Amino acid sequence: KAGVTQTPRYLIKTRGQQVTLSCSPISGHRSVSWYQQTPGQGLQFLFEYFSETQRNKGNFPGRFSGRQFSNSRSEMNVSTLELGDSALYLCASSPGLAGTNEQFFGPGTRLTVL
Amino acid sequence: AQSVTQLGSHVSVSEGALVLLRCNYSSSVPPYLFWYVQYPNQGLQLLLKYTTGATLVKGINGFEAEFKKSETSFHLTKPSAHMSDAAEYFCAVSEQSGGSYIPTFGRGTSLIVHP
């Protein structure tokens, strides 16, 4: 089976812009979660989608949003980018809900905000 | 809110030596516990997982972890370190909140293996 894929792998944006990141889960997985990874804060949970519904949400501002399509592919959007949004954004898929199942992580999208 | 503490942001061992990476959590009820490994420029990969049952969990690559409820700990060990074990290791804990389990990750421990 192909693994979790994320596009693009690298992205450079300027403050105030918006960005959309894409994630394709492993075939058959219905859960997709997003995480922000930074050296200072580690891995922080953004949100989880399961069968096109947002199941859980972390403690991030409303500028961070996401959605999941019927084929389980997911997108994450960040509007009005701030310098502090620079991070590695990881997507993870799971056959069941993320909290109780193994998660399979993609390689991440490295976002740099200038 | 759940918190996960990994003692030591960096752990350095010699090849062949015991590896011990510490993880403590704050949950008051038995949670789901995980250890993941991240190699450079890659996503995280599951090493092992505890749900219920036997408190000693065996994982891939010779790693194992022991769930100690009284100490709220889930330390990761490997009897003999190999150079290929050098990576970032993350402990994750899922506790039920409002009917859902949300995973919380520790800040990670970088394992350095010396020849």
Side-chain angles (χ1 to χ4, degrees):
Chain A
K1 273 186 180 179
V4 177
T5 57
Q6 293 186 245
T7 56
R9 291 293 310 277
Y10 301 90
L11 208 48
I12 300 175
K13 292 287 187 178
T14 57
R15 279 180 299 172
Q17 287 187 310
Q18 75 164 18
V19 65
T20 299
L21 311 182
S22 182
C23 172
S24 292
I26 290 173
S27 177
H29 286 190
R30 295 164 65 188
S31 165
V32 173
S33 297
W34 289 89
Y35 295 86
Q36 181 191 68
Q37 185 177 21
T38 59
Q41 298 296 322
L43 255 84
Q44 292 190 286
F45 173 79
L46 279 156
F47 29 65
E48 177 187 10
Y49 286 86
F50 187 89
S51 295
E52 301 179 66
T53 301
Q54 187 179 89
R55 289 298 303 260
N56 297 297
K57 191 177 191 305
N59 190 25
F60 277 82
R63 300 185 297 108
F64 292 82
S65 63
R67 59 178 176 168
Q68 187 180 33
F69 302 96
S70 58
N71 62 358
S72 292
R73 191 178 68 85
S74 178
E75 288 182 346
M76 189 192 91
N77 184 274
V78 188
S79 62
T80 319
L81 283 167
E82 300 176 0
L83 294 178
D85 297 333
S86 293
L88 181 67
Y89 289 88
L90 293 169
C91 165
S93 76
S94 182
L97 291 173
T100 57
N101 288 273
E102 174 181 2
Q103 295 184 79
F104 296 79
F105 285 80
T109 293
R110 173 79 59 189
L111 172 65
T112 302
V113 182
L114 303 176
Chain B
Q2 175 68 257
S3 69
V4 181
T5 303
Q6 291 186 237
L7 285 176
S9 58
H10 294 83
V11 169
S12 181
V13 300
S14 297
E15 191 173 20
L18 171 72
V19 175
L20 171 61
L21 305 180
R22 300 177 188 274
C23 174
N24 288 85
Y25 60 91
S26 62
S27 175
S28 59
V29 297
Y32 288 80
L33 301 162
F34 307 82
W35 274 101
Y36 285 86
V37 60
Q38 185 178 31
Y39 298 101
N41 299 316
Q42 293 185 29
L44 281 69
Q45 176 186 359
L46 182 72
L47 278 175
L48 49 81
K49 166 188 171 183
Y50 171 81
T51 53
T52 59
T55 56
L56 184 63
V57 182
K58 294 189 183 300
I60 62 171
N61 301 338
F63 285 93
E64 61 182 36
E66 186 173 9
F67 168 56
K68 291 188 176 180
K69 182 180 176 181
S70 61
E71 299 178 7
T72 58
S73 70
F74 191 56
H75 301 332
L76 181 71
T77 60
K78 181 174 181 178
S80 177
H82 193 271
M83 296 295 289
S84 61
D85 293 327
E88 189 87 14
Y89 291 79
F90 293 91
C91 178
V93 178
S94 287
E95 183 184 37
Q96 190 171 28
S97 174
S100 294
Y101 283 84
I102 298 176
T104 301
F105 283 77
R107 297 250 178 130
T109 297
S110 179
L111 177 65
I112 302 160
V113 183
H114 297 287

